[in-house]
Amino acid sequence: MCGIVGYIGKRNSVDVILNGLRKLEYRGYDSSGIAVIVDKKLHVRKKVGRLYNLRSDILKDPITANIGLGHTRWATHGKPSKKNAHPHMDSTKSIVIVHNGIIENYIKLRNELLKCGQEFESETDSEVIVHLIKRNYKNSLFHAVQETLSEIKGSYAFGLLCKYEPNKMVFARQDAPLVIGIGKGENFVASDVTALLPYTRNMVFLEDGDIAEITAEKVIIKDIGNNIKNREIKSIQWNAAQAEKDGYRHFMLKEIFEQPRTIEETFRSRIYPNEGRIYIEEIGFKDEDIKNISSIHVVACGTSYHAGLVSKFLFENFTGIPTEVGIASEFRYGNSILNEKKMVIIISQSGETADTLAALKLAKSKNCRTLALCNVVGSSVSREAERIIYTHCGPEIGVASTKAFTSQLTILYMLAFDWANKRGNLPKEKLKEYLNELWEIPLKIGEFLKNIELLQDIAKVFVNKRDFLYLGRHVNYPIALEGALKLKEISYIHAEGYAAGEMKHGPIALIDKSMPIVAIAVKGRVYEKMISNIEEAKSRGGIIIALASEYDEEIVTKSDYIIYVPKVNEFMSPLVTVVPLQLLAYYIAVLLGCNVDQPRNLAKSVTVE
Ligand code: AGP
């Protein structure tokens, strides 16, 4: 997820762009850059690191112009570096691009261009676009874009300048946001309204397939077939702070609601359900490597550790590979049997967690194969691991991890299915079935997120409780742990996640009406057992909040509150059962007036032991 700003009009575009990028830094901050046209010549400045570095560079060597583009980057392809920073120019330095999104077929396009003698400056997928546009350019940037869009696949929001057409900008949008700010004798473009509110409240939201030609006086929007698109001008009443959160009250809530899109971004261009194919381009393990794995050891902390616990069920059920899961701070001082036949999978959103990084280094020192799942390109973990798969869910600002967790799970499903198929444990037809099921998950979560009033009501009922018990079995035991962690870390209420089958071995002594029990009882092999646990708890005065599969009527008489989640394959259920638990924790914390995005005593990344 990156931030884009464009401007054309009477002001100094450099000021507008830098101010706008500052408002968009929450979308990404690996590097930033700006491109302007002065005397029909393109000028580009870019710096690695925070936006401050670019601003300082421009202060030292000022530049002014009436038209320009800016970009702040969250790396997905190509590590944070000056050459990978946007904007990118074509080889003749006549066209420049800033891009947010993922071009799925960029490798194929890049290879075609290389064969034609095209040289590349960067490792990014974005640079491919500007070379294609230059190749298609005759005397209209707009037409060159229309032609190029038929060649590229993926998600994109990009902006272009061309020195032969110095009084216009061209933007295109598909599955990534772009909004035009309408001014008087000036026009603005950005990834979201945050960057534009200081200048105008009149916004035009581009829709998928839109291509916009923007001058200081006029905005023309057409599609690839040259059909005019009349988009409504909307007046935005948010203040800047609200806008940074897209109108959500907290980043955590925004990130919970982003999950349908971030799960899709994570599997986009990696799974092909109808072909029964998985292609994780960056992983690079040979089929032989996969067949030779004797055991897997997943290592992580916190929420990432809970994702690892889910993966144990996936790897052992689908691939047949024995799988251990360890907490990094224990693993690094433990005595695990580590050797070259062991695959150590490291999971870390930040890629900077000290214990997790230390565990990775230990595994490497023992010649283990190492694979990292990470959300931050260029982070310590991503640079240390033998192989790395990125979660593509954009910066996660809320300290409580939500979208990163479901993105981690998405990758773990892909790995389990892929490795099971490669090891002959998952026939193609079953693989297609599971990939289609995974494909549908974003839609199902999106539907669930449309009706969450019950969660707000339940939060009001239990906001003053001091202890919660979360119960789950099988793949939802880790979700019980995760639900409890969410509640305690943002509301400071004590909560315990427990394997439901363990109730009789102690925790059942705790039960009374003062301690609500959240029971994850979706349909599957352990459903009946969960119903028994619920009945045991209820008979001792426990108050039951059950997570149940939609249309389940049996559970109605067993529980005090029922949160229905979409019915999915039981192995996929963690992707849907975690969402109501994220929201329950969020609404309780908000009712308590807690600092949801920055809870006390916590940091987004624990970079010390
Ligand atoms: C989760 O909500 C917490 N913020 C915390 O447990 C986190 O998951 C843990 O610190 C691991 O962080 P990482 O994924 O960045 O390594």
Side-chain angles (χ1 to χ4, degrees), residues 20 68 118 142 151 164 177 286 334 360 400 405 411 419 453 465 503 512 533 548 572:
Q118 178 62 57
F142 191 88
E151 298 175 81
Y164 306 121
K286 298 186 192 63
L360 170 56
F405 177 70
I411 290 177
W419 292 359
E453 293 72 23
K465 298 297 182 186
M503 285 290 290
D512 60 26
N533 292 135
M572 297 273 188

Side-chain angles (χ1 to χ4, degrees), residues 287-351:
D287 290 4
E288 274 320 294
D289 294 333
I290 306 305
K291 288 178 183 138
N292 291 336
I293 301 170
S294 66
S295 65
I296 295 171
H297 205 131
V298 185
V299 184
C301 298
T303 288
S304 300
Y305 166 68
H306 297 152
L309 287 174
V310 173
S311 75
K312 175 180 172 64
F313 294 94
L314 308 181
F315 288 125
E316 291 185 338
N317 180 70
F318 292 104
T319 70
I321 304 172
T323 302
E324 286 178 79
V325 186
I327 290 171
S329 54
E330 290 299 312
F331 177 86
R332 65 182 293 195
Y333 298 111
N335 303 95
S336 300
I337 310 306
L338 302 174
N339 56 45
E340 68 290 345
K341 289 185 75 66
K342 176 156 277 188
M343 173 70 73
V344 172
I345 299 177
I346 296 290
I347 306 175
S348 178
Q349 186 284 131
S350 63

Side-chain angles (χ1 to χ4, degrees), residues 26 194 240-251 254 597:
Y26 75 90
T194 319
Q242 284 171 311
E244 198 165 4
K245 302 180 186 95
D246 261 357
Y248 289 100
R249 190 168 166 190
H250 298 99
F251 277 111
K254 178 179 175 228
D597 284 332

Side-chain angles (χ1 to χ4, degrees), residues 300-305 347-353 356 396 398-402 408 482 485-486 489 602-606:
C301 298
T303 288
S304 300
Y305 166 68
I347 306 175
S348 178
Q349 186 284 131
S350 63
E352 300 300 345
T353 300
T356 306
E396 187 175 66
V399 164
S401 187
T402 50
Q408 290 163 353
E482 175 58 13
L485 175 60
K486 287 281 105 36
E489 70 174 321
L602 292 178
K604 184 59 188 168
S605 177
V606 182

Side-chain angles (χ1 to χ4, degrees), residues 95-119:
I95 298 175
V96 69
I97 191 170
V98 290
H99 168 237
N100 172 28
I102 295 173
I103 302 303
E104 294 176 19
N105 59 337
Y106 88 96
I107 290 181
K108 174 175 165 290
L109 294 169
R110 183 185 173 103
N111 290 337
E112 284 170 12
L113 287 164
L114 285 167
K115 278 194 196 112
C116 299
Q118 178 62 57
E119 291 180 0

Side-chain angles (χ1 to χ4, degrees), residues 369-390:
R369 309 304 300 268
T370 56
L371 166 64
L373 276 56
C374 195
N375 192 40
V376 182
V377 176
S379 58
S380 304
V381 163
S382 71
R383 280 182 279 113
E384 187 71 33
E386 177 190 353
R387 302 286 181 195
I388 172 79
I389 304 177
Y390 290 111

